[in-house]
Amino acid sequence: SILMQRRLFLYNFRNLRKAKGRRETYLCYVVKRRDSATSCSLDFGYLRNQMGCHVEVLFLRYIAAWDLDPGRCYRITWFTSWSPCYDCAQHIASFLRSYPNLTLRIFMARLYFCEDRKAEPEGLRRLHKAGAQIAIMTFKDFFYCWNTFVENREQTFKGWEGLHENSVHLARKLRRILLPLYEVDDLRDAFKILGL
């Protein structure tokens, strides 16, 4: 099926602050071609990690095989259960530099930070600098995914307890990560002066 089972979506996309046991990354995607003022949907679906290969790399291989027309503009939208790891962020940034006619928007349910490296914030900054639009999923995004990618049997999406609060918390965290470093230093100095 091209649609995700409800239980898979609800388990893997829940935007918990601590998501223990959720080791797989799911990626729902929409690919559109822009023709002047209109856009045409070319494909949609979802992928998940495969043994030894992260889902972001799988998608990049998939889209690279399309042999995209360099004279046309394309927009890809991802909804992911986890933000990309450092290595995947590097692959995506490199891919975007190779395809200047392609824009990528990434909406993430949760932020991934590997305990060993702590390099993921830098990866997200580089990805943002390469032109990817990155944001945390809100109720509206979960609702869209439910209606577009999930085998929902016409059931209305009902958000879980803490969905909004967790989205706000994660969005603030992402905003701090994407702040230019000189602004972060200015904020730290301001907090020191205020004694905070």
Side-chain angles (χ1 to χ4, degrees), residues 104-172:
L104 176 63
R105 299 184 307 165
I106 305 173
F107 296 92
M108 306 165 293
R110 297 181 300 270
L111 294 171
Y112 171 77
F113 297 108
C114 180
E115 298 301 322
D116 299 336
R117 293 178 50 191
K118 300 280 187 188
E120 278 69 27
E122 179 57 29
L124 290 174
R125 283 189 285 273
R126 289 183 182 190
L127 185 54
H128 182 65
K129 190 175 180 182
Q133 300 166 23
I134 54 179
I136 296 298
M137 290 176 72
T138 64
F139 179 90
K140 178 184 71 147
D141 303 313
F142 290 111
F143 182 85
Y144 174 81
C145 286
W146 179 261
N147 290 314
T148 306
F149 304 106
V150 178
E151 194 176 89
N152 61 38
R153 298 190 185 134
E154 299 185 19
Q155 289 185 342
T156 303
F157 176 71
K158 293 179 178 77
W160 46 85
E161 187 177 334
L163 183 153
H164 176 71
E165 294 82 1
N166 291 341
S167 287
V168 169
H169 170 77
L170 291 165
R172 285 182 182 146

Side-chain angles (χ1 to χ4, degrees), residues 56-78:
E56 297 90 345
V57 174
L58 288 172
F59 183 86
L60 295 180
R61 289 177 186 164
Y62 170 69
I63 201 73
W66 282 28
D67 196 26
L68 298 173
D69 181 348
R72 293 189 172 221
C73 295
Y74 299 89
R75 184 171 77 187
I76 297 172
T77 304
W78 287 355

Side-chain angles (χ1 to χ4, degrees), residues 36-51:
S36 63
T38 62
S39 65
C40 169
S41 287
L42 300 177
D43 195 17
F44 81 100
Y46 78 94
L47 299 167
R48 68 176 177 83
N49 288 354
Q50 297 297 320
M51 198 61 117

